[in-house]
Amino acid sequence: MAGPCSVESEEQIIEVAQAVKASGATMLRGGAFKPRTSPYAFQGMKGEGIRLLLKAKEATGLPIVTELMTISTLDLFADVDVIQVGARNMQNFDLLKELGKTRKPILLKRGLANTIQELLMSAEYIMSEGNENVILCERGIRTFETATRNTLDLSAVAVLHNLSHLPVVVDPSHATGKAELVAPMAYAAAAAGADGIMVEVHNNPACALCDGAQSLTPPQFDELNRKVQRIREVLV
Ligand code: PEP
Ligand code: MN
């Protein structure tokens, strides 16, 4: 899964979608509703962002994954293929229960300071309402370490595979916060048996409205994906 942190314009999302598809991505990511630490930071293009994601889906055939922050916007997600629940909403239990009443696949990201057990309980909130289409995502947790944005808990991949049948995706972009660390952690995630990898890719990272420092360029993503595929071949 690859794409920009945020949808910024039609040109941007279509260009990135075409590039990541050419490199072998099988799903396009892009935030339309953005949970930002500061209320003064770019909050996303919202409904218009989803409309542009759907245009990129039409142009490339790539299914799309994008974050839902509040259930009041659910109608806008009718044609979205996978709904993301972000780290900050992992324990928004009312939201999880409402998504459990849908049949949409849900990408559930681990909270910044949540245990693996708590992640699994959040998945149960969705599944106990009848929606068993849950994908777990390890995206790094907060520790005392400051060299990286978060600390990627790769052991979570193996632990989750032992405790659950659910697929596990790793997000090395939010885990590290630094573009130069994304590829090595993606390779490690693939080697650990991750079922998917979600990577932020931008056509002009220096000008990105959100998370430019951790965004790969399309050529960098191309190299990453080629190597990830080779690692996966070793494991089968
Ligand atoms: C994201 O994937 O765009 C995002 C905001 O991630 P997280 O919820 O893991 O911080
Ligand atoms: Mn981001």
Side-chain angles (χ1 to χ4, degrees), residues 29 34-35 67 84 86-88 109 139 174 200:
R29 66 147 285 143
K34 295 303 304 176
E67 178 166 355
Q84 175 171 318
R88 291 154 191 81
K109 299 190 86 172
R139 45 78 74 207
H174 292 91
E200 285 187 343

Side-chain angles (χ1 to χ4, degrees), residues 23-89:
S23 296
T26 53
M27 188 167 291
L28 175 67
R29 66 147 285 143
F33 293 91
K34 295 303 304 176
R36 302 302 300 279
T37 300
S38 166
Y40 309 114
F42 176 59
Q43 302 285 304
M45 293 183 78
K46 309 196 168 87
E48 173 68 1
I50 294 190
R51 196 182 68 77
L52 296 179
L53 278 168
L54 292 171
K55 274 200 150 182
K57 172 179 172 175
E58 202 178 289
T60 59
L62 287 177
I64 55 176
V65 52
T66 191
E67 178 166 355
L68 175 143
M69 287 170 57
T70 168
I71 205 67
S72 63
T73 60
L74 182 62
D75 288 352
L76 296 172
F77 289 70
D79 297 321
V80 168
D81 299 281
V82 176
I83 295 179
Q84 175 171 318
V85 174
R88 291 154 191 81
N89 268 319

